[in-house]
Coordinates of all heavy atoms in Angstrom, one line a residue:
Q1257 N 18.2 76.5 -207.2 CA 18.7 76.2 -208.5 C 17.6 76.0 -209.5 O 16.6 75.3 -209.3 CB 19.5 74.9 -208.4 CG 20.3 74.6 -209.7 CD 21.2 73.4 -209.5 OE1 21.2 72.8 -208.5 NE2 22.0 73.1 -210.5
S1258 N 17.7 76.7 -210.6 CA 16.6 76.7 -211.7 C 17.0 75.8 -212.8 O 18.1 75.6 -213.1 CB 16.4 78.1 -212.2 OG 16.0 79.0 -211.2
E1259 N 15.9 75.2 -213.4 CA 16.1 74.5 -214.6 C 16.0 75.4 -215.8 O 15.2 76.4 -215.8 CB 15.0 73.4 -214.7 CG 15.2 72.3 -213.6 CD 14.2 71.2 -213.7 OE1 13.6 71.0 -214.8 OE2 14.2 70.4 -212.8
I1260 N 16.8 75.1 -216.9 CA 16.8 75.9 -218.1 C 16.5 75.0 -219.2 O 17.0 73.9 -219.4 CB 18.2 76.6 -218.2 CG1 18.5 77.5 -217.0 CG2 18.3 77.4 -219.5 CD1 19.9 78.0 -217.0
Y1261 N 15.6 75.5 -220.1 CA 15.2 74.8 -221.3 C 15.4 75.6 -222.6 O 15.4 76.8 -222.6 CB 13.7 74.5 -221.2 CG 13.3 73.7 -220.0 CD1 12.9 74.3 -218.8 CD2 13.4 72.3 -220.0 CE1 12.6 73.5 -217.7 CE2 13.0 71.5 -218.9 CZ 12.6 72.1 -217.8 OH 12.3 71.4 -216.7
F1262 N 15.6 74.8 -223.6 CA 15.5 75.3 -225.0 C 14.0 75.3 -225.3 O 13.3 74.3 -225.1 CB 16.3 74.4 -225.9 CG 16.1 74.6 -227.4 CD1 16.7 75.7 -228.0 CD2 15.2 73.8 -228.1 CE1 16.5 75.9 -229.4 CE2 15.0 74.0 -229.5 CZ 15.7 75.0 -230.1
Y1263 N 13.5 76.4 -225.9 CA 12.0 76.5 -226.2 C 11.8 76.6 -227.7 O 12.3 77.5 -228.3 CB 11.4 77.7 -225.4 CG 9.9 77.7 -225.6 CD1 9.1 76.9 -224.9 CD2 9.3 78.6 -226.5 CE1 7.7 76.9 -225.0 CE2 8.0 78.7 -226.7 CZ 7.2 77.8 -225.9 OH 5.8 77.9 -226.1
K1264 N 11.0 75.7 -228.2 CA 10.7 75.7 -229.7 C 9.3 75.2 -229.9 O 8.9 74.1 -229.5 CB 11.7 74.9 -230.5 CG 11.4 75.0 -232.0 CD 12.4 74.3 -232.8 CE 12.1 74.6 -234.3 NZ 13.1 74.0 -235.1
R1265 N 8.5 76.1 -230.5 CA 7.2 75.7 -231.0 C 7.3 75.9 -232.5 O 7.8 75.0 -233.2 CB 6.1 76.5 -230.4 CG 5.9 76.3 -229.0 CD 5.1 75.1 -228.6 NE 4.7 75.1 -227.2 CZ 4.8 74.0 -226.5 NH1 5.2 72.9 -226.9 NH2 4.5 74.1 -225.2
I1266 N 6.9 77.0 -233.0 CA 7.0 77.3 -234.4 C 8.4 78.0 -234.6 O 9.1 77.8 -235.6 CB 5.9 78.2 -234.9 CG1 4.5 77.4 -234.8 CG2 6.1 78.8 -236.3 CD1 3.3 78.2 -235.0
I1267 N 8.7 78.9 -233.6 CA 10.0 79.6 -233.6 C 10.7 79.3 -232.4 O 10.2 79.1 -231.3 CB 9.7 81.2 -233.7 CG1 8.9 81.5 -234.9 CG2 10.9 82.0 -233.5 CD1 8.4 82.9 -235.0
E1268 N 12.0 79.2 -232.5 CA 12.8 78.8 -231.3 C 13.3 80.0 -230.5 O 13.5 81.1 -231.0 CB 14.0 78.0 -231.7 CG 15.1 78.8 -232.3 CD 16.3 77.9 -232.7 OE1 16.2 76.8 -233.2 OE2 17.5 78.3 -232.4
T1269 N 13.4 79.8 -229.2 CA 14.0 80.8 -228.3 C 15.2 80.0 -227.6 O 15.0 78.9 -227.2 CB 13.0 81.2 -227.2 OG1 11.9 81.9 -227.9 CG2 13.6 82.2 -226.3
D1270 N 16.3 80.7 -227.4 CA 17.5 80.1 -226.9 C 17.3 79.4 -225.6 O 17.6 78.3 -225.4 CB 18.7 81.0 -226.9 CG 19.1 81.5 -228.2 OD1 18.8 80.8 -229.2 OD2 19.7 82.6 -228.3
F1271 N 16.7 80.2 -224.6 CA 16.6 79.7 -223.3 C 15.2 80.1 -222.6 O 14.8 81.2 -222.8 CB 17.7 80.1 -222.3 CG 19.0 79.7 -222.8 CD1 19.9 80.7 -223.4 CD2 19.5 78.4 -222.7 CE1 21.1 80.3 -223.9 CE2 20.8 78.1 -223.1 CZ 21.6 79.0 -223.8
Y1272 N 14.6 79.2 -221.9 CA 13.4 79.4 -221.2 C 13.7 79.0 -219.7 O 14.0 77.8 -219.5 CB 12.2 78.7 -221.8 CG 11.0 78.7 -221.0 CD1 10.5 79.9 -220.4 CD2 10.2 77.5 -220.8 CE1 9.3 79.9 -219.6 CE2 9.1 77.5 -220.1 CZ 8.6 78.7 -219.5 OH 7.4 78.7 -218.8
V1273 N 13.5 79.9 -218.8 CA 13.7 79.6 -217.4 C 12.3 79.7 -216.7 O 12.0 80.8 -216.2 CB 14.7 80.6 -216.7 CG1 15.1 80.1 -215.3 CG2 16.0 80.7 -217.6
P1274 N 11.6 78.6 -216.6 CA 10.2 78.7 -216.1 C 10.1 79.2 -214.6 O 9.2 79.9 -214.2 CB 9.7 77.3 -216.2 CG 10.8 76.4 -216.5 CD 11.9 77.3 -217.0
D1275 N 11.1 78.8 -213.8 CA 11.1 79.2 -212.4 C 11.1 80.8 -212.2 O 10.6 81.3 -211.2 CB 12.3 78.7 -211.6 CG 12.2 77.2 -211.4 OD1 11.1 76.6 -211.7 OD2 13.2 76.6 -211.0
H1276 N 11.7 81.5 -213.2 CA 11.8 82.9 -213.2 C 10.9 83.6 -214.2 O 11.0 84.8 -214.4 CB 13.3 83.4 -213.3 CG 14.1 82.9 -212.2 ND1 14.2 83.5 -211.0 CD2 15.0 81.8 -212.1 CE1 15.0 82.9 -210.2 NE2 15.5 81.9 -210.9
N1277 N 10.1 82.7 -214.9 CA 9.2 83.3 -216.0 C 10.0 84.1 -216.9 O 9.7 85.3 -217.2 CB 8.1 84.0 -215.4 CG 6.8 83.8 -216.1 OD1 6.6 82.8 -216.8 ND2 5.9 84.8 -216.0
L1278 N 11.2 83.6 -217.4 CA 12.1 84.4 -218.2 C 12.5 83.7 -219.5 O 12.7 82.5 -219.6 CB 13.4 84.6 -217.4 CG 14.5 85.4 -218.0 CD1 14.1 86.8 -218.2 CD2 15.7 85.3 -217.1
L1279 N 12.6 84.5 -220.6 CA 13.1 84.1 -221.9 C 14.4 84.8 -222.2 O 14.5 86.0 -221.9 CB 12.0 84.4 -223.0 CG 10.7 83.6 -222.9 CD1 9.7 84.3 -223.8 CD2 10.9 82.2 -223.3
V1280 N 15.3 84.1 -222.8 CA 16.6 84.7 -223.0 C 17.1 84.3 -224.5 O 17.1 83.1 -224.8 CB 17.7 84.2 -222.0 CG1 19.1 84.8 -222.3 CG2 17.3 84.4 -220.6
Q1281 N 17.5 85.3 -225.2 CA 18.1 85.1 -226.5 C 19.6 85.5 -226.3 O 19.9 86.5 -225.6 CB 17.5 86.0 -227.6 CG 16.1 85.5 -228.1 CD 16.2 84.2 -228.9 OE1 16.1 83.1 -228.3 NE2 16.4 84.4 -230.2
V1282 N 20.5 84.9 -227.1 CA 21.9 85.3 -227.0 C 22.4 85.5 -228.5 O 22.1 84.6 -229.3 CB 22.7 84.1 -226.4 CG1 24.2 84.5 -226.3 CG2 22.2 83.8 -225.0
C1283 N 23.0 86.6 -228.7 CA 23.6 86.9 -230.0 C 24.7 87.9 -229.8 O 24.8 88.6 -228.8 CB 22.6 87.4 -231.0 SG 21.9 89.0 -230.6
M1284 N 25.6 87.9 -230.8 CA 26.8 88.8 -230.7 C 26.4 90.3 -230.7 O 26.9 91.1 -230.0 CB 27.7 88.5 -231.9 CG 29.0 89.3 -231.8 SD 29.9 88.6 -230.5 CE 31.6 88.7 -231.1
S1285 N 25.4 90.6 -231.6 CA 25.0 92.0 -231.7 C 23.5 92.0 -232.3 O 23.1 91.2 -233.0 CB 25.9 92.7 -232.7 OG 25.4 94.0 -233.0
V1286 N 22.8 93.1 -231.9 CA 21.5 93.4 -232.6 C 21.5 94.6 -233.4 O 20.5 95.2 -233.8 CB 20.4 93.4 -231.5 CG1 20.1 92.1 -230.9 CG2 20.7 94.5 -230.4
K1287 N 22.7 95.0 -233.8 CA 22.9 96.2 -234.6 C 22.4 96.0 -236.1 O 21.9 96.9 -236.7 CB 24.4 96.7 -234.6 CG 24.8 97.3 -233.3 CD 26.3 97.7 -233.4 CE 26.7 98.1 -232.0 NZ 28.2 98.4 -231.9
D1288 N 22.7 94.8 -236.6 CA 22.2 94.4 -237.9 C 20.7 94.3 -237.9 O 20.1 93.6 -237.1 CB 22.9 93.1 -238.3 CG 22.4 92.6 -239.7 OD1 22.7 93.2 -240.7 OD2 21.6 91.6 -239.7
Y1289 N 20.0 94.9 -238.9 CA 18.6 94.9 -238.9 C 18.0 93.5 -238.9 O 17.0 93.2 -238.2 CB 18.1 95.7 -240.1 CG 16.6 95.7 -240.3 CD1 15.8 96.5 -239.5 CD2 16.0 94.8 -241.2 CE1 14.4 96.4 -239.7 CE2 14.6 94.7 -241.3 CZ 13.8 95.6 -240.6 OH 12.5 95.5 -240.7
E1290 N 18.5 92.6 -239.8 CA 18.0 91.2 -239.9 C 18.2 90.4 -238.6 O 17.2 89.7 -238.2 CB 18.6 90.5 -241.1 CG 18.2 91.0 -242.4 CD 18.8 90.3 -243.6 OE1 19.4 89.2 -243.4 OE2 18.8 90.9 -244.7
T1291 N 19.3 90.6 -238.0 CA 19.5 89.9 -236.7 C 18.6 90.4 -235.7 O 18.0 89.6 -234.9 CB 21.0 90.1 -236.3 OG1 21.9 89.6 -237.3 CG2 21.3 89.3 -235.0
R1292 N 18.4 91.7 -235.6 CA 17.5 92.3 -234.6 C 16.1 91.8 -234.8 O 15.4 91.4 -233.8 CB 17.6 93.8 -234.7 CG 16.8 94.5 -233.7 CD 16.8 96.1 -234.0 NE 16.2 96.8 -232.9 CZ 16.8 97.2 -231.8 NH1 18.1 97.0 -231.6 NH2 16.1 97.9 -230.9
E1293 N 15.6 91.8 -236.0 CA 14.3 91.4 -236.3 C 14.1 89.9 -236.0 O 13.0 89.5 -235.4 CB 13.9 91.7 -237.8 CG 13.7 93.1 -238.0 CD 12.7 93.8 -237.2 OE1 11.5 93.3 -237.2 OE2 13.0 94.8 -236.5
R1294 N 15.1 89.1 -236.3 CA 15.0 87.6 -236.0 C 14.9 87.4 -234.5 O 14.1 86.6 -234.0 CB 16.2 86.9 -236.6 CG 16.2 85.4 -236.3 CD 17.4 84.7 -236.8 NE 18.6 85.1 -236.0 CZ 19.7 85.7 -236.5 NH1 19.8 85.9 -237.8 NH2 20.7 86.0 -235.7
E1295 N 15.8 88.1 -233.7 CA 15.8 87.9 -232.2 C 14.4 88.4 -231.6 O 13.9 87.8 -230.8 CB 16.9 88.6 -231.6 CG 18.3 88.1 -232.1 CD 18.6 86.7 -231.9 OE1 18.1 86.1 -230.9 OE2 19.3 86.1 -232.7
L1296 N 14.0 89.6 -232.1 CA 12.7 90.1 -231.6 C 11.5 89.3 -231.9 O 10.6 89.0 -231.1 CB 12.5 91.5 -232.1 CG 13.5 92.6 -231.5 CD1 13.2 94.0 -232.1 CD2 13.4 92.7 -230.0
K1297 N 11.5 88.8 -233.2 CA 10.4 87.9 -233.6 C 10.3 86.7 -232.7 O 9.2 86.3 -232.3 CB 10.6 87.5 -235.1 CG 9.5 86.6 -235.6 CD 9.8 86.3 -237.1 CE 8.8 85.4 -237.7 NZ 9.1 85.0 -239.1
S1298 N 11.4 86.1 -232.4 CA 11.4 84.9 -231.6 C 10.9 85.2 -230.2 O 10.0 84.5 -229.6 CB 12.9 84.4 -231.5 OG 12.9 83.4 -230.5
L1299 N 11.4 86.3 -229.6 CA 10.9 86.6 -228.2 C 9.4 87.1 -228.2 O 8.7 86.7 -227.3 CB 11.8 87.7 -227.6 CG 13.2 87.3 -227.2 CD1 14.0 88.5 -226.8 CD2 13.1 86.2 -226.1
K1300 N 9.0 87.8 -229.2 CA 7.6 88.2 -229.3 C 6.7 87.0 -229.3 O 5.7 86.9 -228.6 CB 7.3 89.1 -230.5 CG 7.9 90.5 -230.5 CD 7.6 91.2 -231.8 CE 8.3 92.5 -231.9 NZ 8.0 93.2 -233.2
Y1301 N 7.0 86.1 -230.2 CA 6.2 84.9 -230.3 C 6.1 84.1 -229.0 O 5.1 83.7 -228.5 CB 6.7 84.0 -231.4 CG 5.9 82.7 -231.5 CD1 4.7 82.7 -232.2 CD2 6.3 81.5 -230.9 CE1 4.0 81.5 -232.3 CE2 5.6 80.4 -230.9 CZ 4.4 80.3 -231.7 OH 3.6 79.2 -231.7
S1302 N 7.3 83.8 -228.4 CA 7.4 83.1 -227.1 C 6.8 83.8 -226.0 O 6.1 83.2 -225.1 CB 8.9 82.7 -226.8 OG 9.4 81.9 -227.9
M1303 N 6.9 85.1 -225.9 CA 6.3 85.9 -224.8 C 4.8 85.8 -224.9 O 4.1 85.6 -223.9 CB 6.8 87.4 -224.9 CG 8.2 87.6 -224.5 SD 8.8 89.2 -224.9 CE 8.1 90.2 -223.6
R1304 N 4.3 85.8 -226.1 CA 2.8 85.7 -226.3 C 2.4 84.3 -225.9 O 1.4 84.1 -225.1 CB 2.4 86.0 -227.8 CG 1.5 87.0 -227.9 CD 1.1 87.3 -229.4 NE 2.2 88.0 -230.0 CZ 2.8 87.6 -231.2 NH1 2.4 86.6 -231.8 NH2 3.8 88.4 -231.7
E1305 N 3.1 83.3 -226.4 CA 2.7 81.9 -226.2 C 2.8 81.5 -224.7 O 1.9 80.8 -224.2 CB 3.7 81.0 -226.9 CG 3.5 79.6 -226.8 CD 2.6 79.0 -227.8 OE1 2.2 79.7 -228.7 OE2 2.2 77.8 -227.6
L1306 N 3.8 82.0 -224.0 CA 4.0 81.7 -222.6 C 3.4 82.7 -221.6 O 3.6 82.5 -220.4 CB 5.5 81.4 -222.3 CG 6.1 80.3 -223.1 CD1 7.6 80.3 -223.0 CD2 5.5 78.9 -222.5
Q1307 N 2.9 83.8 -222.1 CA 2.4 84.9 -221.3 C 3.4 85.4 -220.4 O 3.2 85.6 -219.2 CB 1.1 84.4 -220.6 CG 0.0 84.0 -221.5 CD -1.3 83.6 -220.8 OE1 -1.3 83.3 -219.6 NE2 -2.4 83.6 -221.5
I1308 N 4.6 85.8 -221.0 CA 5.7 86.4 -220.2 C 5.8 87.8 -220.7 O 5.7 88.1 -221.9 CB 7.0 85.6 -220.5 CG1 6.9 84.2 -219.9 CG2 8.2 86.3 -220.0 CD1 8.0 83.3 -220.2
N1309 N 6.0 88.7 -219.8 CA 6.1 90.1 -220.3 C 7.5 90.8 -220.1 O 7.6 92.0 -220.3 CB 5.1 91.0 -219.5 CG 5.3 91.0 -218.0 OD1 6.3 90.6 -217.6 ND2 4.3 91.5 -217.3
E1310 N 8.5 90.0 -219.8 CA 9.9 90.5 -219.7 C 10.9 89.4 -220.2 O 10.8 88.3 -219.9 CB 10.2 90.9 -218.3 CG 11.5 91.7 -218.3 CD 11.6 92.5 -216.9 OE1 10.7 92.5 -216.1 OE2 12.7 93.0 -216.7
S1311 N 11.8 89.9 -221.1 CA 12.8 89.0 -221.7 C 14.1 89.7 -221.8 O 14.2 90.9 -221.6 CB 12.3 88.5 -223.1 OG 11.2 87.8 -223.0
I1312 N 15.1 88.9 -222.1 CA 16.5 89.4 -222.2 C 17.2 89.0 -223.5 O 17.0 87.8 -223.8 CB 17.4 88.9 -221.0 CG1 16.8 89.4 -219.6 CG2 18.8 89.4 -221.1 CD1 17.5 88.9 -218.4
I1313 N 17.9 89.9 -224.1 CA 18.8 89.5 -225.2 C 20.2 89.8 -224.6 O 20.5 91.0 -224.3 CB 18.6 90.3 -226.5 CG1 17.1 90.0 -227.0 CG2 19.6 89.9 -227.5 CD1 16.8 90.9 -228.2
I1314 N 21.1 88.8 -224.6 CA 22.4 89.0 -224.1 C 23.3 89.2 -225.3 O 23.3 88.3 -226.3 CB 22.9 87.8 -223.3 CG1 22.0 87.6 -222.1 CG2 24.4 87.9 -222.9 CD1 22.2 86.3 -221.3
T1315 N 24.1 90.2 -225.4 CA 25.0 90.6 -226.5 C 26.4 90.7 -226.0 O 26.7 90.6 -224.8 CB 24.5 91.9 -227.2 OG1 24.7 93.0 -226.2 CG2 23.1 91.8 -227.6
Y1316 N 27.3 91.0 -227.0 CA 28.7 91.2 -226.6 C 28.9 92.5 -225.8 O 29.5 92.5 -224.8 CB 29.5 91.2 -227.9 CG 31.0 91.3 -227.6 CD1 31.7 90.3 -227.0 CD2 31.6 92.5 -227.9 CE1 33.1 90.5 -226.7 CE2 33.0 92.7 -227.7 CZ 33.7 91.7 -227.1 OH 35.0 91.9 -226.8
D1317 N 28.3 93.6 -226.3 CA 28.6 94.8 -225.6 C 27.5 95.9 -225.8 O 27.7 97.1 -225.6 CB 29.9 95.4 -226.1 CG 29.9 95.8 -227.6 OD1 28.9 95.5 -228.3 OD2 30.9 96.4 -228.1
E1318 N 26.3 95.5 -226.2 CA 25.2 96.4 -226.4 C 24.2 96.4 -225.2 O 24.1 95.4 -224.5 CB 24.4 96.1 -227.6 CG 25.3 96.2 -228.9 CD 24.7 95.5 -230.1 OE1 23.5 95.5 -230.3 OE2 25.5 94.8 -230.8
Q1319 N 23.6 97.6 -225.0 CA 22.6 97.7 -223.9 C 21.5 98.7 -224.4 O 21.8 99.8 -224.9 CB 23.3 98.3 -222.7 CG 22.4 98.4 -221.5 CD 23.2 98.7 -220.2 OE1 24.4 98.5 -220.1 NE2 22.4 99.1 -219.2
E1320 N 20.3 98.3 -224.2 CA 19.1 99.1 -224.4 C 17.9 98.4 -223.9 O 17.9 97.3 -223.5 CB 18.9 99.4 -225.9 CG 18.6 98.2 -226.7 CD 18.3 98.6 -228.2 OE1 17.3 99.3 -228.5 OE2 19.0 98.1 -229.1
E1321 N 16.8 99.1 -223.9 CA 15.5 98.5 -223.5 C 14.6 98.7 -224.7 O 14.5 99.8 -225.2 CB 14.9 99.2 -222.2 CG 15.7 98.7 -221.0 CD 14.8 98.9 -219.7 OE1 13.6 98.9 -219.8 OE2 15.5 99.0 -218.7
I1322 N 13.9 97.7 -225.0 CA 12.9 97.7 -226.1 C 11.5 97.4 -225.6 O 11.3 96.3 -225.1 CB 13.3 96.6 -227.2 CG1 14.8 96.9 -227.7 CG2 12.4 96.7 -228.4 CD1 15.4 95.7 -228.5
E1323 N 10.6 98.4 -225.9 CA 9.2 98.2 -225.5 C 8.5 97.6 -226.7 O 8.6 98.2 -227.8 CB 8.6 99.5 -225.0 CG 9.2 100.1 -223.7 CD 8.8 99.3 -222.5 OE1 7.7 98.7 -222.5 OE2 9.6 99.2 -221.6
I1324 N 7.8 96.5 -226.5 CA 6.9 96.0 -227.5 C 5.6 95.7 -226.9 O 5.4 95.8 -225.7 CB 7.6 94.7 -228.1 CG1 7.8 93.6 -227.0 CG2 8.9 95.0 -228.8 CD1 8.2 92.3 -227.5
A1325 N 4.6 95.4 -227.8 CA 3.3 95.1 -227.3 C 3.2 94.0 -226.2 O 2.4 94.1 -225.3 CB 2.4 94.8 -228.5
E1326 N 4.1 93.0 -226.4 CA 4.1 91.9 -225.5 C 4.8 92.2 -224.1 O 4.6 91.4 -223.2 CB 4.8 90.7 -226.1 CG 4.1 90.1 -227.3 CD 4.2 90.9 -228.6 OE1 4.9 91.9 -228.6 OE2 3.4 90.6 -229.5
G1327 N 5.5 93.3 -224.0 CA 6.2 93.6 -222.8 C 7.5 94.3 -223.0 O 7.7 95.1 -224.0
N1328 N 8.5 94.0 -222.2 CA 9.8 94.7 -222.2 C 10.9 93.7 -222.5 O 10.9 92.6 -221.9 CB 10.0 95.3 -220.8 CG 11.3 96.2 -220.8 OD1 11.5 96.9 -221.7 ND2 12.0 96.0 -219.7
I1329 N 11.8 94.1 -223.4 CA 13.0 93.3 -223.7 C 14.2 94.1 -223.3 O 14.4 95.2 -223.8 CB 13.0 92.9 -225.2 CG1 11.8 92.1 -225.5 CG2 14.3 92.1 -225.5 CD1 11.7 91.7 -227.0
K1330 N 15.0 93.6 -222.5 CA 16.3 94.2 -222.1 C 17.4 93.6 -222.9 O 17.6 92.4 -222.9 CB 16.5 94.0 -220.6 CG 15.6 94.7 -219.7 CD 15.9 94.5 -218.2 CE 14.8 95.3 -217.4 NZ 15.0 95.1 -216.0
V1331 N 18.2 94.5 -223.5 CA 19.4 94.1 -224.2 C 20.5 94.4 -223.3 O 20.7 95.6 -222.9 CB 19.5 94.8 -225.6 CG1 20.8 94.4 -226.3 CG2 18.3 94.6 -226.5
V1332 N 21.3 93.4 -222.9 CA 22.4 93.6 -221.9 C 23.7 93.0 -222.4 O 23.7 91.9 -223.1 CB 22.1 93.0 -220.5 CG1 20.9 93.7 -219.9 CG2 21.8 91.6 -220.6
P1333 N 24.8 93.6 -222.2 CA 26.1 93.0 -222.5 C 26.4 91.9 -221.6 O 26.0 91.9 -220.5 CB 27.1 94.2 -222.3 CG 26.4 95.2 -221.5 CD 25.0 95.0 -221.6
Y1334 N 27.1 90.9 -222.2 CA 27.4 89.7 -221.4 C 28.1 90.0 -220.1 O 27.7 89.5 -219.0 CB 28.3 88.7 -222.3 CG 28.8 87.6 -221.5 CD1 27.9 86.5 -221.2 CD2 30.1 87.5 -221.0 CE1 28.4 85.4 -220.4 CE2 30.5 86.5 -220.2 CZ 29.7 85.4 -219.9 OH 30.1 84.4 -219.2
W1335 N 29.1 90.9 -220.1 CA 29.8 91.1 -218.9 C 28.9 91.7 -217.8 O 29.1 91.4 -216.6 CB 31.0 92.1 -219.1 CG 30.6 93.5 -219.6 CD1 30.4 93.9 -220.9 CD2 30.2 94.6 -218.7 NE1 30.0 95.2 -220.9 CE2 29.9 95.7 -219.6 CE3 30.2 94.7 -217.3 CZ2 29.5 96.9 -219.0 CZ3 29.8 96.0 -216.8 CH2 29.4 97.0 -217.7
K1336 N 27.9 92.4 -218.1 CA 27.0 93.0 -217.1 C 26.0 91.9 -216.6 O 25.7 91.9 -215.5 CB 26.2 94.2 -217.7 CG 25.5 95.0 -216.7 CD 24.9 96.2 -217.3 CE 25.6 97.5 -216.8 NZ 25.0 98.7 -217.2
W1337 N 25.6 91.1 -217.5 CA 24.6 90.0 -217.2 C 25.3 89.0 -216.2 O 24.6 88.5 -215.3 CB 24.1 89.3 -218.4 CG 23.2 88.2 -218.2 CD1 21.9 88.3 -217.9 CD2 23.5 86.8 -218.2 NE1 21.3 87.1 -217.7 CE2 22.3 86.1 -217.9 CE3 24.6 86.1 -218.4 CZ2 22.2 84.7 -217.8 CZ3 24.6 84.7 -218.3 CH2 23.4 84.1 -218.0
V1338 N 26.5 88.8 -216.3 CA 27.2 87.8 -215.5 C 27.4 88.3 -214.1 O 27.4 87.5 -213.1 CB 28.6 87.5 -216.1 CG1 29.4 86.6 -215.2 CG2 28.4 86.8 -217.5
L1339 N 27.5 89.6 -213.9 CA 27.7 90.2 -212.6 C 26.6 90.0 -211.7 O 25.6 89.9 -211.5 CB 28.0 91.7 -212.7 CG 29.3 92.0 -213.4 CD1 29.5 93.5 -213.5 CD2 30.5 91.4 -212.7

């Protein structure tokens, strides 16, 4: 059983799971430019700060992989993440 934390330094990240070295953001959609940039900014900062190279954004129904300098961000629909 893992512990889950809310992570906030300068920018907040929804969930931090230190046992799995994992950061998680949750939002309805990343289709909107401003929402996408906000979610990515948060993960980029936290990934750098915690030296994590893989993160997840859980959405309602979107799926993609985003490569950034800090590592890889997987966008997954909630239904798939739960399975």
